[in-house]
Amino acid sequence: MMKVDRNSAKSTQRLILVSNRLPVALDRSDSGEWHITPSSGGLVTALAPILRKTRGLWIGWPGATAEGVDLEQLLAAYRYPLGSITLKAVTLTQDEVQHYYSGFSNETIWPLFHDLHSRCKFDPEDWLVYQAVNRKFAQAIIDNSDVDDYIWVHDYHLLLVARELHAIDPGRRAVFFLHTPFPSVDIYDKLPWRQQIMRALLEYDLIGFQTLRDRSNFIHCAESLTKGLYVNARKRLAVIQTPSRELRAGVFPISIDFREFSRLAATKEVVRRSIQLREDIPGCRIILGVDRMDYSKGISQRLKAFRNALERFEDLRCKVTLVQIIIPSRAHILEYQKLKAEVDGLISEINGQFAESGWVPVQYMFRSVDRAELAAYYRAADMALVTPLKDGMNLVAKEYCASNVDENGVLILSEFAGAAVQMRRNAMLVNPYDIEGVANTIYKAYNMGGAERKDRMRRLRNSIRRHGISWWASRFLQAANYTKQQSTIEVQFPQ
Ligand code: ADQ
């Protein structure tokens, strides 16, 4: 539970969440009618439980550009199913989507922050529009909030919002959480606008990172780019003093709603479905991969490792099936189209090479699946292969364990996922670039005895149970309170 005293809630102070995307998807039917559906994804998964408990205002882009349609009005009439959340739309033009979202956010910052700088595009036009859209978000905050409101900005799309807020109203305070990793100095320095972005980040009052390494990287970058910076990183919350202000930087590993995932996995519907999934692949262990289609998730490397395992360990043939579920993502970006073609090609090669009558080595779904179906796959799977090349946290690893109520699954986890910091003792850690190493680990997991599997999974589940999403939110909110600029953090509850 969030440690917020219901009785002390002040009516003036609200929680204002700000993220690139609102937690909805907007679609237009053939007849021209608009439909709003709640959407999936890491950020929504993480924040929906908090917003269920609070009466929040969420500011963001609804994910569609609609000339001649009042999206704000459309959203005002919409009741979000996960709780009483008011959604405020920041509308974007096609040009803004292209340069701010696809361009600067997803083709510059995303690859750079995932250590993949060779994939980066550095386009001055993208940078100009990125700044303008961050200004637009700041204006939307000013228009929809009071000076006392608690403003919590999320993720790499909105690195400049505090700077833009201060340009309009120097008295505004905002805190920030970065869901992606933060790169080392060598990589961050490649960014032509490194100085402006660092200065803007130092205008937040609190910055939260997923891991200690991300925070250290940030502090090193800040020190190398800012004259007269003083940092005391010995405290749990590092104190950073710039020549003009003071801020804090902390480590807050994000998590999931453990209880919700384990409850769902134990429902009759999910149990029935998971039995059916196993019966559909008779005599085979299920290895599961669940990812957004993204090059940072290491899907191609994982497929190569699976192929390598089938080549070298013949006793795995007809005994294991890799079920790979991929949610389409950023499909308008060329790099992502190339990745899809590569993944499709690898899967058909592996199936062509090894399939036998009654056995298909890789079962592949390229679509979003609903929560209950996902829980059934998590529950049915004998092992999960979570092998990103780099990941801020990776919620799939935690969702798999929370749903593994029988405690007999094995988690194979990339050492480069933020989740590895907390799960390293009981997951089987791998280097996702090491194809043979991952293949060996698949074989080891296949042969692992029941007692060891149970012991590891029980410990993993206990750790996530203790450090769930409410723990994350309450730690972040308490840290924000500690910044002194705001004497109390009070959040309104639904009556
Ligand atoms: P993402 O990069 O989106 O999140 P991740 O943490 O793995 O990555 O979350 C993905 C979410 O999408 C999970 O909740 C998963 O259940 C869901 N999902 C994936 N495939 C799906 C499918 N086919 N159908 C339905 N749902 C699917 C970013 C960062 C991460 C960080 C999170 C939260 O990149 O490192 O963990 O934010 O901070």
Side-chain angles (χ1 to χ4, degrees):
M1 286 293 291
M2 285 169 62
K3 289 180 186 144
V4 181
D5 179 3
R6 182 187 280 260
N7 296 324
S8 75
K10 239 192 328 187
S11 59
T12 50
Q13 195 174 37
R14 292 173 305 165
L15 176 64
I16 314 280
L17 283 177
V18 189
S19 64
N20 169 57
R21 279 295 300 270
L22 283 172
V24 289
L26 278 175
D27 300 297
R28 199 171 208 168
S29 67
D30 293 342
S31 61
E33 232 175 282
W34 282 91
H35 294 282
I36 306 179
T37 40
S39 56
S40 64
L43 191 58
V44 185
T45 311
L47 292 175
I50 307 165
L51 286 162
R52 260 201 303 265
K53 291 172 189 152
T54 65
R55 189 188 292 160
L57 172 65
W58 193 325
I59 297 177
W61 173 48
T65 52
E67 308 295 333
V69 178
D70 191 343
L71 292 176
E72 284 181 43
Q73 211 177 14
L74 203 70
L75 278 168
Y78 177 68
R79 271 192 70 78
Y80 196 77
L82 294 175
S84 64
I85 308 167
T86 308
L87 305 179
K88 289 281 175 199
V90 175
T91 49
L92 299 180
T93 63
Q94 291 281 13
D95 193 56
E96 286 170 334
V97 173
Q98 190 194 326
H99 291 288
Y100 146 79
Y101 178 68
S102 300
F104 202 76
S105 299
N106 288 327
E107 292 183 273
T108 305
I109 300 293
W110 177 269
L112 190 83
F113 281 22
H114 285 84
D115 295 353
L116 298 164
H117 54 92
S118 59
R119 290 183 185 260
C120 286
K121 182 177 122 203
F122 296 116
D123 179 347
E125 176 70 14
D126 289 349
W127 166 238
L128 278 179
V129 181
Y130 182 81
Q131 292 178 88
V133 172
N134 272 247
R135 208 167 300 137
K136 212 174 188 180
F137 270 80
Q139 191 60 55
I141 296 169
I142 298 277
D143 294 345
N144 289 289
S145 66
D146 299 319
V147 74
D148 288 337
D149 287 339
Y150 176 76
I151 298 159
W152 188 0
V153 181
H154 287 262
D155 230 359
Y156 63 101
H157 316 84
L158 301 174
L159 300 170
L160 314 176
V161 164
R163 177 186 94 178
E164 299 303 330
L165 271 176
H166 291 155
I168 306 170
D169 177 355
R172 290 297 178 124
R173 310 205 177 281
V175 296
F176 181 76
F177 183 75
L178 183 67
H179 291 257
T180 66
F182 197 91
S184 64
V185 177
D186 292 352
I187 291 184
Y188 184 79
D189 271 0
K190 307 257 185 314
L191 188 59
W193 308 281
R194 61 193 182 194
Q195 192 67 261
Q196 293 96 313
I197 289 180
M198 180 51 71
R199 256 188 251 133
L201 281 170
L202 293 173
E203 291 205 33
Y204 282 103
D205 290 299
L206 168 70
I207 306 185
F209 297 93
Q210 302 271 26
T211 67
L212 196 58
R213 180 181 294 204
D214 298 323
R215 189 183 75 170
S216 305
N217 284 346
F218 170 75
I219 289 174
H220 290 147
C221 290
E223 284 173 331
S224 82
L225 290 169
T226 321
K227 282 204 184 88
L229 198 81
Y230 173 76
V231 182
N232 178 356
R234 273 168 304 177
K235 297 187 175 180
R236 192 173 61 82
L237 273 179
V239 179
I240 302 174
Q241 272 171 331
T242 76
S244 57
R245 61 195 315 279
E246 186 178 292
L247 67 145
R248 281 167 172 75
V251 177
F252 309 94
I254 203 165
S255 193
I256 56 157
D257 189 346
F258 177 89
R259 259 191 294 179
E260 179 53 21
F261 273 95
S262 43
R263 184 202 61 77
L264 186 61
T267 56
K268 270 195 201 141
E269 181 202 352
V270 169
V271 173
R272 210 177 304 125
R273 181 72 183 126
S274 71
I275 292 170
Q276 192 192 346
L277 291 172
R278 295 189 72 97
E279 284 172 357
D280 287 349
I281 313 176
C284 259
R285 305 251 186 104
I286 297 177
I287 304 176
L288 182 66
V290 176
D291 307 85
R292 266 191 317 101
M293 181 63 93
D294 196 293
Y295 46 77
S296 69
K297 301 294 179 187
I299 303 167
S300 305
Q301 290 80 355
R302 180 185 315 159
L303 287 165
K304 288 176 191 163
F306 182 65
R307 176 169 63 193
N308 186 282
L310 293 180
E311 275 163 359
R312 291 193 298 124
F313 307 109
E314 288 183 21
D315 48 333
L316 290 181
R317 296 182 198 168
C318 298
K319 293 286 179 216
V320 293
T321 293
L322 172 62
V323 176
Q324 179 64 59
I325 307 177
I326 304 186
I327 191 167
S329 183
R330 304 174 195 169
H332 44 282
I333 299 174
L334 186 65
E335 288 278 319
Y336 287 74
Q337 292 159 11
K338 283 194 207 152
L339 175 68
K340 177 162 188 310
E342 189 184 337
V343 166
D344 289 355
L346 276 167
I347 291 172
S348 73
E349 268 175 44
I350 296 169
N351 285 340
Q353 188 179 350
F354 295 102
E356 289 180 24
S357 158
W359 178 59
V360 181
V362 186
Q363 284 194 6
Y364 172 37
M365 271 157 276
F366 182 58
R367 58 172 184 266
S368 180
V369 297
D370 68 32
R371 287 272 132 203
E373 182 74 354
L374 196 57
Y377 274 104
Y378 282 147
R379 191 162 174 169
D382 298 280
M383 46 181 122
L385 257 184
V386 184
T387 55
L389 304 181
K390 186 90 183 166
D391 220 329
M393 179 54 56
N394 194 293
L395 297 178
V396 169
K398 294 186 175 183
E399 291 169 6
Y400 173 65
C401 297
S403 309
N404 203 262
V405 288
D406 300 315
E407 298 183 333
N408 55 9
V410 181
L411 173 65
I412 298 179
L413 179 63
S414 162
E415 59 187 289
F416 307 128
V421 175
Q422 296 162 297
M423 302 174 102
R424 61 183 330 117
R425 284 210 191 103
N426 296 297
M428 300 186 81
L429 285 202
V430 290
N431 171 354
Y433 293 97
D434 178 4
I435 303 298
E436 284 199 346
V438 176
N440 293 343
T441 307
I442 292 173
Y443 193 57
K444 255 190 232 157
Y446 176 80
N447 288 306
M448 188 185 283
E452 184 179 351
R453 269 187 282 140
K454 208 166 195 76
D455 189 45
R456 283 173 179 259
M457 186 47 74
R458 184 170 296 156
R459 287 168 196 268
L460 285 168
R461 283 170 54 78
N462 281 341
S463 151
I464 305 164
R465 187 183 284 118
R466 283 197 305 273
H467 303 118
I469 188 68
S470 298
W471 170 85
W472 172 77
S474 100
R475 278 197 58 205
F476 189 92
L477 293 170
Q478 281 167 13
N481 195 22
Y482 186 64
T483 59
K484 290 186 216 152
Q485 285 99 352
Q486 221 161 236
S487 56
T488 48
I489 293 155
E490 292 152 4
V491 178
Q492 289 184 337
F493 284 83
Q495 300 305 306

